[in-house]
């Protein structure tokens, strides 16, 4: 087998039925190196459409992570039976679980303490407090907000967001202007006991993907969100999924992203590895600020696969299989008019 051909390997993709995992697989298939690689999926299988899409040779149903021993035992049996060479772990709770446990096959993951910190927006913001890398914010309980603690924030207009582990900005997020709006939003999100009240950032909406190995940044790619899918169905106009965007080379966004990751690694005392996505929004002066950090690729990352040398899914698989030397250039220059 040529050392640049991985079509006789077997890769496990976790969260196989999810949107992000499926777009990662489609991007992987655009690489000649992985066009015929055998792909096995695991998932809780709540999305039956994905079971019949044909992206995987087989999908195994696994338990949720609240049954850790059952999950561990079944994943070990799957890897042995399917002769899995390596895993691409996608859902953030699974990234954290795999990072914190001895698993049966290699996977390129952020270090465990970093993953535990970054999966929570509250912990990320606390760790970056006072650095200028995140917007101004305050963490408030439901009772504190109802007692008027957020009134000064709301008069200026502020984001009111869920800060549960693994949540995203599309969940429990609304720009509010008074206590009545905050009260109404909390009524619609009764399971959330603690909220982040944060400064509204009016500028560009960006994301920066970073792929690390053994403390070294190997590959990066950034994009800008221009329009949101079904934006009119969300009160905020932001649904978390974009329908129009562009690939960008943004030095400022990359610099802020790298600083944020470096500071979190300093806080945890770890060398960075694995792939993360840093979401950013520019303030009124155009300076990017970190809004959250994902422990994975995001669905829009599939767009990079259309540009030679920029396929981040291919690079992730290559580094996971021990071929970081084939990951290609750190950054590819994009046509500024792309969409």
């Amino acid at each position: 087998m040529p050392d640049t051909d991985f079509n006789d390997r077997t890769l496990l993709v976790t969260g196989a039925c999810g949107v992000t995992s499926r777009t990662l697989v489609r991007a992987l298939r655009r690489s000649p190196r992985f066009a015929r690689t055998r792909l096995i999926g695991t998932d809780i299988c709540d999305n039956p459409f994905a079971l019949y899409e044909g992206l995987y040779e087989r999908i195994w149903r696994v338990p949720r992570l609240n049954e850790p021993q059952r999950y561990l035992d079944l994943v070990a049996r799957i890897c042995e039976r399917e002769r899995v060479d390596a895993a691409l772990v996608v859902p953030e709770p699974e990234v954290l679980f795999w990072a914190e446990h001895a698993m049966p096959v290699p996977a390129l993951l952020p270090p465990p303490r970093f993953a535990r910190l970054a999966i929570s927006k509250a912990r990320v913001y606390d760790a970056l407090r006072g650095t200028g890398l995140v917007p101004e914010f305050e963490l408030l309980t439901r009772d504190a907000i109802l007692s008027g603690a957020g009134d000064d924030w709301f008069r200026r207009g502020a984001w009111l967001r869920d800060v549960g582990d693994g949540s995203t900005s599309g969940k429990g997020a609304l720009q509010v202007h008074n206590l009545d709006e905050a009260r109404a939003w909390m009524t619609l999100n009764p399971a959330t006991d603690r909220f982040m009240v944060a400064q509204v950032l009016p500028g560009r909406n960006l994301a920066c993907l970073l792929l690390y190995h053994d403390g070294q940044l190997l590959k990066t790619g950034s994009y800008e969100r221009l329009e949101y899918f079904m934006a009119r169905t969300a009160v905020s106009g932001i649904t978390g999924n974009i329908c129009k965007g562009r690939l960008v080379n943004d030095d400022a966004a990359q610099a802020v992203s790298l600083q944020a990751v470096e500071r979190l690694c300093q806080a945890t005392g770890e060398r960075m590895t694995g792939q993360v996505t840093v979401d950013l929004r520019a303030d009124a002066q155009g300076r990017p600020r970190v809004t959250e950090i994902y422990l994975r690729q995001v669905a829009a990352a599939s767009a990079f696969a259309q540009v030679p040398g920029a396929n981040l899914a291919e690079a992730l698989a290559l580094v996971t299989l021990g071929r970081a030397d084939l990951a290609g250039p750190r950054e590819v220059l994009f046509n500024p008019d792309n969409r």
Side-chain angles (χ1 to χ4, degrees):
M1 179 195 74
D3 64 358
T4 59
D5 186 331
F6 298 89
N7 286 316
D8 68 340
R9 304 294 183 91
T10 297
L11 293 177
L12 177 71
V13 180
T14 76
C17 296
V19 171
T20 303
S21 297
R22 287 153 53 207
T23 54
L24 184 150
V25 166
R26 294 189 197 104
L28 195 63
R29 291 302 195 199
R30 292 183 71 95
S31 164
R33 291 174 171 138
F34 295 100
R36 296 183 303 280
T37 298
R38 185 168 174 263
L39 299 179
I40 300 297
T42 60
D43 201 278
I44 58 174
C45 297
D46 278 357
N47 179 6
F49 169 78
L51 300 175
Y52 303 98
E53 194 175 1
L55 293 176
Y56 308 92
E57 179 174 307
R58 189 158 31 253
I59 296 177
W60 290 78
R61 187 191 298 271
V62 294
R64 298 179 186 273
L65 294 175
N66 59 4
E67 300 180 83
Q69 196 56 54
R70 280 192 62 213
Y71 177 91
L72 283 166
D73 291 345
L74 182 54
V75 168
R77 291 200 299 272
I78 292 168
C79 290
E80 181 179 9
R81 176 168 175 173
E82 300 286 3
R83 302 183 302 282
V84 172
D85 294 293
L88 305 179
V89 185
V90 180
E92 288 189 286
E94 281 190 290
V95 171
L96 177 60
F97 187 90
W98 279 63
E100 294 184 331
H101 292 80
M103 301 305 290
V105 296
L108 190 72
L109 305 167
R113 291 189 296 277
F114 178 97
R116 175 65 63 179
L117 191 162
I119 202 170
S120 162
K121 284 191 290 291
R123 291 194 287 273
V124 166
Y125 275 53
D126 267 338
L128 299 178
R129 188 190 295 271
T131 63
L133 297 174
V134 294
E136 297 175 11
F137 73 99
E138 189 172 357
L139 299 172
L140 297 173
T141 65
R142 177 183 294 267
D143 290 341
I145 293 172
L146 292 175
S147 68
D151 287 357
D152 288 342
W153 283 98
F154 300 151
R155 279 192 290 270
R156 289 178 282 160
W159 279 106
L160 185 64
R161 326 172 52 178
D162 172 35
V163 290
D165 288 3
S167 65
T168 67
S169 57
K171 178 186 177 185
L174 178 73
Q175 185 178 346
V176 298
H177 303 87
N178 53 58
L179 180 57
D180 287 340
E181 291 181 358
R183 184 182 289 114
W185 196 241
M186 291 190 296
T187 299
L188 293 172
N189 293 272
T192 302
D193 294 321
R194 191 169 64 140
F195 291 84
M196 179 184 291
V197 186
Q199 169 192 7
V200 174
L201 301 173
R204 299 166 66 208
N205 194 334
L206 301 159
C208 184
L209 288 90
L210 306 170
L211 177 64
Y212 290 86
H213 178 58
D214 195 25
Q216 300 296 315
L217 178 67
L218 292 185
K219 206 165 188 69
T220 181
S222 300
Y223 67 89
E224 181 179 0
R225 302 173 178 93
L226 299 175
E227 294 180 15
Y228 287 92
F229 178 67
M230 296 183 70
R232 293 182 181 180
T233 67
V235 178
S236 65
I238 297 175
T239 62
N241 295 303
I242 62 172
C243 63
K244 184 184 292 185
R246 66 188 186 106
L247 305 182
V248 296
N249 301 100
D250 193 300
D251 292 340
Q254 185 178 126
V256 168
S257 300
L258 292 172
Q259 289 175 50
V261 170
E262 182 180 352
R263 283 183 175 269
L264 297 187
C265 285
Q266 289 173 353
T268 64
E270 295 167 315
R271 288 169 63 86
M272 187 60 189
T273 191
Q275 188 169 68
V276 295
T277 301
V278 182
D279 269 3
L280 311 106
R281 192 78 186 242
D283 62 18
Q285 289 72 44
R287 297 172 300 194
R289 306 287 185 94
V290 174
T291 57
E292 54 196 302
I293 298 177
Y294 297 105
L295 300 172
R296 54 171 172 80
Q297 283 193 20
V298 288
S302 60
F304 292 100
Q306 301 177 47
V307 180
N311 191 334
L312 288 159
E314 177 194 52
L316 175 64
L318 286 168
V319 180
T320 304
L321 289 166
R323 293 308 307 267
D325 58 307
L326 299 177
R330 176 182 291 186
E331 185 176 12
V332 172
L333 295 179
F334 304 116
N335 178 346
D337 296 325
N338 76 85
R339 290 292 185 273

